[in-house]
Amino acid sequence: VHVAVGGDFRFGKGRAAGAAELIAMGAEQGFDVTIAPLLHRDGIEVSSTAIRNALADGQPQVAAKMLGHLHRLEGAVIHGEKQGRLLGYPTANLAVGGLHLPKLGVYAVKVDVLTGPHQGNYLGAANLGISPMFEGRAPSLETYLFDFEGDLYDAHLSVALVEYLRPELKLSNLDALIDQMKIDCQRAREILIGARYA
C-alpha cells in the first residue's frame, strides 16, 4: 500500500533503479511512495555506514554528530581476571562479543551506572580490546571509573565513548603499563572535566 525509503535507496538488478523509478512504479502499481530526505550535519551525510566508519576510524565525536548523542556500549558488569585491580586500576568489564566494535584502543568515557547501589554518572577511561599484555583474551570493554570505590559486579552500565586516546599497546613490562595507564587517565580527565557531551 505504501513504501517509505531514504533518498539514496537503490533497488533492482545491479541497484540500477532509485527513488524516481520507485515513484513511477508506485503510480503504475497503485501504491504510494514517501522519499525521506537525507540528513546532513556539519557537512556530513548521515548514514549507518558513515557512523560505522567513523567509529571504526576512532572518531567517536564524528559519529556523535551524526547520531545526535554519544555512541554507547551497554551491559552487565562481568568478572574479569582482576588484573586491573592488581595494577591499582580496578575496572568494570563488559562483554562485547557479537557487536560491531569501534576501533580498538583506549577511550575517554562517560559512564552511567544504571542499576545497583552505585547508580549515577561517572567519568573514566576504558580499554576496548584484547589487552595485548595478557595473552588469550576475548575482546571486552574494561572501564576504570575515576574517584570511585565500590562493587559493580552485575550492575548494568552504559559506557559512552567520548574521545579515542590511543591504540592498544604491548609494552615491555607491567611497570611500563602502569605508567601508560597514569598518562591515559590524566589525559582522559583533561578531556572530560568541564566538557559537555550529550
Side-chain angles (χ1 to χ4, degrees), residues 83-91 144 178 181:
Q83 295 285 357
R85 181 180 300 172
L86 295 175
L87 298 174
Y89 291 89
T91 59
Y144 174 68
I178 292 170
M181 292 167 76

Side-chain angles (χ1 to χ4, degrees), residues 125-172:
N127 185 80
L128 176 63
I130 59 170
S131 298
M133 293 287 292
F134 307 99
E135 301 295 332
R137 288 190 173 185
S140 65
L141 181 67
E142 301 176 37
T143 305
Y144 174 68
L145 280 64
F146 299 150
D147 310 314
F148 176 84
E149 290 185 16
D151 184 343
L152 289 172
Y153 289 121
D154 299 321
H156 193 91
L157 267 58
S158 176
V159 181
L161 306 181
V162 176
E163 187 164 318
Y164 184 80
L165 302 180
R166 64 168 177 84
E168 288 193 292
L169 301 172
K170 187 165 186 177
L171 300 168
S172 57

Side-chain angles (χ1 to χ4, degrees), residues 179-191:
D179 290 342
Q180 182 61 56
M181 292 167 76
K182 288 179 184 175
I183 293 168
D184 295 338
C185 287
Q186 180 59 38
R187 186 166 171 219
R189 282 183 187 271
E190 291 169 358
I191 290 166

Side-chain angles (χ1 to χ4, degrees), residues 34-142:
T34 297
I35 307 298
L38 300 178
L39 296 176
H40 292 80
R41 290 199 173 153
D42 297 332
I44 302 170
E45 184 177 291
V46 177
S47 72
S48 58
T49 299
I51 292 166
R52 284 193 301 270
N53 288 343
L55 292 169
D57 291 340
Q59 298 180 322
Q61 292 180 10
V62 172
K65 287 180 181 178
M66 290 185 277
L67 288 166
H69 57 81
L70 293 169
H71 178 70
R72 290 178 171 270
L73 299 168
E74 297 190 6
V77 177
I78 60 172
H79 287 269
E81 298 177 15
K82 299 179 176 57
Q83 295 285 357
R85 181 180 300 172
L86 295 175
L87 298 174
Y89 291 89
T91 59
N93 301 331
L94 302 184
V96 294
L99 298 179
H100 179 86
L101 294 179
K103 186 173 184 177
L104 301 185
V106 178
Y107 289 83
V109 297
K110 280 184 59 175
V111 182
D112 295 332
V113 179
L114 303 175
T115 62
H118 301 290
Q119 287 183 31
N121 311 110
Y122 302 89
L123 303 177
N127 185 80
L128 176 63
I130 59 170
S131 298
M133 293 287 292
F134 307 99
E135 301 295 332
R137 288 190 173 185
S140 65
L141 181 67
E142 301 176 37

Side-chain angles (χ1 to χ4, degrees), residues 8-18:
D8 60 349
F9 177 72
R10 308 298 300 174
F11 70 103
K13 184 176 180 181
R15 297 172 49 86

Side-chain angles (χ1 to χ4, degrees), residues 16-41:
E21 290 81 6
L22 186 61
I23 291 170
M25 184 181 293
E28 291 174 8
Q29 302 292 327
F31 60 87
D32 295 324
V33 177
T34 297
I35 307 298
L38 300 178
L39 296 176
H40 292 80
R41 290 199 173 153

